[in-house]
């Protein structure tokens, strides 16, 4: 995470400098802490629209989704789906990059669809379906 210049990026409410801390809370927090941090990330990264920080955060979200010690893995998978389903029409290149970052994790989503955790399996099955049927205008080949 230290290679990303988080303070130069933005999310729905401004500077993305706090994103690494929230990702860490999802990774290492207890159930309540993890869920709270994930809720913040949802609002910041993808539930309203996607932003330049979303593109940088998606690889870390994929890592969290496959880490068994993370308390809210199904929520992380659901956030990845929300990112795929939302856009940012004024910033088409950002939208395309954010969607591509999720779409590129298809093999990970397929693996998660066989996870031991039923909630992760269900969320991943929904994400696999969303990836397979993704047809937004910005992601279509030119």
């Amino acid at each position: 995470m230290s290679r990303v210049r988080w303070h130069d990026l933005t999310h729905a409410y401004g500077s993305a400098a706090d994103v690494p801390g929230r990702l860490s809370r999802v990774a290492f927090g207890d159930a309540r802490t993890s869920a709270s941090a994930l809720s913040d990330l949802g609002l910041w990264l993808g539930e309203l629209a996607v932003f330049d920080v979303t593109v940088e955060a998606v690889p870390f979200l994929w890592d969290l989704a496959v880490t068994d010690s993370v308390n809210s893995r199904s929520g992380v998978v659901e956030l990845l789906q929300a990112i795929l389903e939302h856009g940012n029409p004024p910033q088409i290149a950002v939208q395309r990059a954010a969607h591509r970052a999720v779409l590129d994790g298809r093999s990970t989503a397929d693996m998660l669809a066989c996870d031991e955790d039923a909630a992760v399996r269900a969320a991943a099955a929904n994400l696999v379906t969303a990836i397979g049927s993704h047809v937004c205008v910005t992601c279509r080949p030119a």
Side-chain angles (χ1 to χ4, degrees):
M1 278 199 293
S2 64
R3 292 183 183 168
V4 177
R5 298 178 54 91
W6 300 101
H7 63 281
D8 290 339
L9 303 172
T10 58
H11 58 58
Y13 299 100
S15 172
D18 291 340
V19 169
R22 293 307 191 281
L23 288 167
S24 292
R25 286 183 184 99
V26 172
F28 303 112
D30 60 22
R32 177 184 246 176
T33 301
S34 182
S36 175
L38 189 57
S39 176
D40 289 343
L41 289 172
L43 291 172
W44 296 353
L45 303 179
E47 290 176 8
L48 304 173
V50 295
F51 299 88
D52 56 358
V53 71
T54 308
V55 177
E56 297 295 333
V58 166
F60 297 106
L61 293 172
W62 280 118
D63 288 344
L64 292 170
V66 299
T67 303
D68 289 335
S69 61
V70 171
N71 283 302
S72 51
R73 292 189 311 129
S74 61
V76 172
V77 175
E78 290 166 356
L79 176 53
L80 287 163
Q81 183 170 345
I83 290 167
L84 186 61
E85 293 173 348
H86 290 90
N88 192 333
Q91 297 184 346
I92 297 298
V94 169
Q95 178 177 327
R96 184 179 299 114
H99 288 185
R100 178 58 41 209
V102 175
L103 294 168
D104 286 347
R106 171 66 188 257
S107 62
T108 303
D110 288 337
M111 180 185 70
L112 289 169
C114 300
D115 197 87
E116 292 180 9
D117 183 315
V120 172
R121 263 195 326 271
N126 289 335
L127 179 55
V128 166
T129 299
I131 289 171
S133 63
H134 184 70
V135 291
C136 87
V137 174
T138 62
C139 293
R140 277 192 275 176

